[in-house]
Amino acid sequence: MSNRETYTPWTREYRIETRAAQGDGWRCPTTGAVPPPVSMGATFARDDQYRTPAGLAYLRDQGTPGYEQVEDVVAGLEGGSDALVFSSGMAAATAVFQVLPAGARVVVPQTMYFGLTKWLLEFGTQRGLEVVRVPMDDLDAVAQAVEAAPTALLWAESPANPTWLVTDLEACADIAHRAGALFGVDNTVPTPVHTRPFELGADLIMHSGTKYLNGHNDVVAGLLVAAPEPTEERQALWERLRLHRRLTGPILGPWETYLLLRGIRTLFPRMRQISASAMTLAEHFSAHPLVSRVAYPGLPTDPGHKVASRQMTGGYSGMLSLHIAGDWTRSLRAAEHCELFIRATSLGGVESLIEHRYTFEGPDSTSPKDMLRLSIGVEDPADLIADLEQALERAAKDAP
C-alpha cells in the first residue's frame, strides 16, 4: 500500500504528461531532494514495541518507498487503482498465469512475445493450464475459443511482437466479459502514451518495464496494474498476485527501481519523437524496391490501421518490421551491413536496434524468415534511413 504521506502531495490533479515528468510530485521529506532517494535496506529495524518507523519489515514482503513511488506513478499513468513492480516483464506476465486455478483455461494470441508463448507451452501446460491460441485479428475465432468452454483469462498484446498485428481491445474485452472471463493486456509496446487499455475494458495491464518505460536498455523490470474499479473477481486476482510476489520473491532491486522511475520521467517526449520517426521510416520504406512489405499499424495500408487509429492516440509507437524482397537470406545480410542500427535483442531504448527475429528465436520460431524487426530510437530519422538504404543495397549486391 502507498506511503505517500511521507512525501509532499500535490493539491490538484495534473495531466499524465506532467505526472510522469515529476514522478507524481514526490519529494524527499528529509532533504527536499527532487530525485527520489534510494533505500538499499533489505530489512528494517524495529523499536522496543516491535514496530518499524515506516511499517516495513522485509524487502520481499513489502518492498521499499521506492517501490511505492514507481507503482503509484505507473498506476496513475494507466488510470489504474494499484500496481506491482516485478523483477522482469516475464516475471510479471507469468505471475498472472501462475495464480490462476490449476487446470484453468486461457485463450492467448497466436502472435505475441515469443518468451511468454514458450513459457506457456513448456511450463503452463505442465501445471495443468489449458492453453488455446487464436489469431487475435479474427474476432469470430476469439469469440468461439472463449465461449467453447469456461475460460478464466483472455490475453492480448497490441500491437503484437514481432509482426505488429493489431487486436481490437474493446471488442475482446466485451467477448471476455460476456463469457465470464477476465481480460489482460500487454501494453508494453504502445505504453499509456498511445493506448489506455482500461478505457477499453481491460481488467489487468502488464508491462515489460525493460522496454519503453525505462527506455535506456539498462534495467530489466516488469509491472502489473490493477483496474480502476475492482470487482470481486478482479480484487481476488489482485490479492493473489500480491501474495505470489511476496512468497516467490520476483522483486526488483532498489537501484533498478530508481532507474526505472528515472526513465518514466521522460516517457512522453521520448515516445512522441520515437513514434514520429518510426512513421517516417515506415512511409519511406513502404515503397522501396528492396522491401516487399512494411509492417507498421500507422500506415493506411496496414491491415490493423483502422483499429489502431481508433484505440491508439498520438502515434503508433516505435516498432516496425521490414520484409526484405528476394531470398530470405538478404534480410540477414542487410542486418549485418547496418552501422547505425545496433544488432541486439530488446526494444524501446533510445538507441535504434535491428534484429533478425527468426534467427534469435530458433527453430521453433513462427517469425517470417524475411523479416527484420526494428526498434526505433531517438536518433535523427534521416540518418536511420540512410543506414538502412546502404545496408539494403549492399545486401542486394551480395545476393547470389
Side-chain angles (χ1 to χ4, degrees), residues 156-158 167-174 183 185 195 197 200 307 311:
E157 177 185 342
S158 183
T167 297
D168 188 328
L169 299 180
E170 189 170 27
C172 285
D174 183 59
F183 182 46
V185 176
T195 303
L200 301 171
V307 174
Q311 67 188 25

Side-chain angles (χ1 to χ4, degrees), residues 203-370:
D203 298 296
L204 183 76
I205 292 173
M206 191 282 289
H207 278 280
S208 173
T210 311
K211 312 303 193 295
Y212 287 112
L213 293 185
N214 167 256
H216 293 80
N217 288 317
D218 56 8
V219 164
V220 174
L223 291 117
L224 295 174
V225 188
E229 298 177 358
T231 62
E232 183 176 343
E233 190 176 19
R234 287 172 173 176
Q235 191 61 34
L237 176 69
W238 192 250
E239 292 306 320
R240 285 184 62 77
L241 285 166
R242 184 179 294 281
L243 180 63
H244 168 87
R245 189 184 68 169
R246 180 167 70 85
L247 295 179
T248 60
I251 60 169
L252 196 63
W255 177 242
E256 289 77 12
T257 305
Y258 169 86
L259 290 176
L260 175 59
L261 182 61
R262 187 176 69 166
I264 291 171
R265 288 173 180 265
T266 61
L267 176 65
F268 279 82
R270 279 190 291 106
M271 289 304 298
R272 286 170 177 157
Q273 181 176 340
I274 285 168
S275 296
S277 294
M279 178 64 87
T280 298
L281 267 73
E283 290 174 337
H284 178 87
F285 287 102
S286 63
H288 197 283
L290 298 176
V291 176
S292 61
R293 177 176 173 258
V294 176
Y296 186 65
L299 292 174
T301 54
D302 190 271
H305 178 72
K306 185 177 180 180
V307 174
S309 296
R310 188 172 70 243
Q311 67 188 25
M312 300 181 77
T313 58
Y316 300 90
S317 196
M319 299 304 300
L320 63 148
S321 292
L322 303 184
H323 294 256
I324 309 306
D327 184 272
W328 73 269
T329 57
R330 284 192 188 183
S331 58
L332 273 175
R333 288 193 291 270
E336 290 169 5
H337 291 311
C338 283
E339 177 179 280
L340 188 56
F341 276 88
I342 301 167
R343 293 177 296 278
T345 296
S346 199
L347 59 92
V350 294
E351 309 92 348
S352 291
L353 307 181
I354 189 167
E355 183 174 48
H356 188 254
R357 194 67 190 167
Y358 178 88
T359 298
F360 171 78
E361 292 176 352
D364 294 333
S365 173
T366 59
S367 296
K369 291 184 177 181
D370 66 346

